[in-house]
Amino acid sequence: MQEIDFDLTQISIVARKVQVELDRALKPLELNASNYYFLLKIDPVTGTTQDQLYRQIYLDQSNITRRLLRLEQLGLITKSRSADDGRVWKVDLTPTGRERIGPLKAAIEDVNHTIFANLATGQQEQLMQLLTTVGTNLI
């Protein structure tokens, strides 16, 4: 008989394994599973605001602030007050941050290849649809 939390346990285990794999792949770029996606969400030309990141990424403001601080320390982003509204933080990629985008995308592609190695394209698409539905149920 399956344990009552089998599904939840499997989801949790897979999420942790994905995080470990991402951390391994992103280490040469000085990034990890907790912060890489910020670089992908910041428009390389116009930048973005911290509030826009908050709405795109399911994290609270304090987590976003800490992760952006780390990226700032690495010289990958800059944060500045908006000229239009001093309450708004503008986030921009630095030249070094923009240079990391190509290698970052390649590393993510490699991780995706590893994760989905034994699934046919249709199975991958079905899995993504199912995960999207599960995520929608939680909102």
Side-chain angles (χ1 to χ4, degrees):
M1 185 168 138
Q2 248 182 6
E3 293 182 28
I4 192 166
D5 68 338
F6 178 80
D7 296 341
L8 297 174
T9 299
Q10 288 305 111
I11 290 170
S12 181
I13 289 169
V14 169
R16 284 194 303 268
K17 286 182 175 184
V18 168
Q19 185 170 1
V20 167
E21 185 65 21
L22 275 168
D23 286 344
R24 182 201 58 74
L26 299 174
K27 188 174 183 174
L29 300 173
E30 298 181 89
L31 297 169
N32 59 43
S34 297
N35 63 16
Y36 81 90
Y37 45 82
F38 288 94
L39 294 182
L40 298 176
K41 302 298 181 195
I42 299 169
D43 186 292
V45 177
T46 62
T48 191
T49 67
Q50 192 164 326
D51 189 57
Q52 287 169 323
L53 289 172
Y54 171 72
R55 286 186 302 235
Q56 287 180 333
I57 301 168
Y58 198 75
L59 287 175
D60 62 49
Q61 288 283 4
S62 62
N63 276 324
I64 290 174
T65 299
R66 276 194 306 278
R67 291 170 188 185
L68 290 177
L69 177 62
R70 179 65 183 137
L71 294 173
E72 198 171 20
Q73 291 168 341
L74 290 169
L76 302 176
I77 66 159
T78 59
K79 281 178 53 179
S80 58
R81 295 275 185 193
S82 168
D84 299 329
D85 184 345
R87 298 169 296 172
V88 174
W89 284 99
K90 182 131 171 22
V91 183
D92 291 290
L93 293 173
T94 64
T96 303
R98 282 190 289 280
E99 290 171 4
R100 293 271 169 94
I101 299 299
L104 172 57
K105 287 180 177 180
I108 291 169
E109 190 173 308
D110 288 345
V111 170
N112 278 328
H113 180 72
T114 298
I115 291 169
F116 298 113
N118 296 315
L119 295 177
T121 301
Q123 291 174 312
Q124 291 175 38
E125 291 168 359
Q126 183 180 17
L127 176 60
M128 291 301 100
Q129 290 171 352
L130 292 170
L131 288 173
T132 299
T133 300
V134 168
T136 302
N137 292 342
L138 297 171
I139 294 176

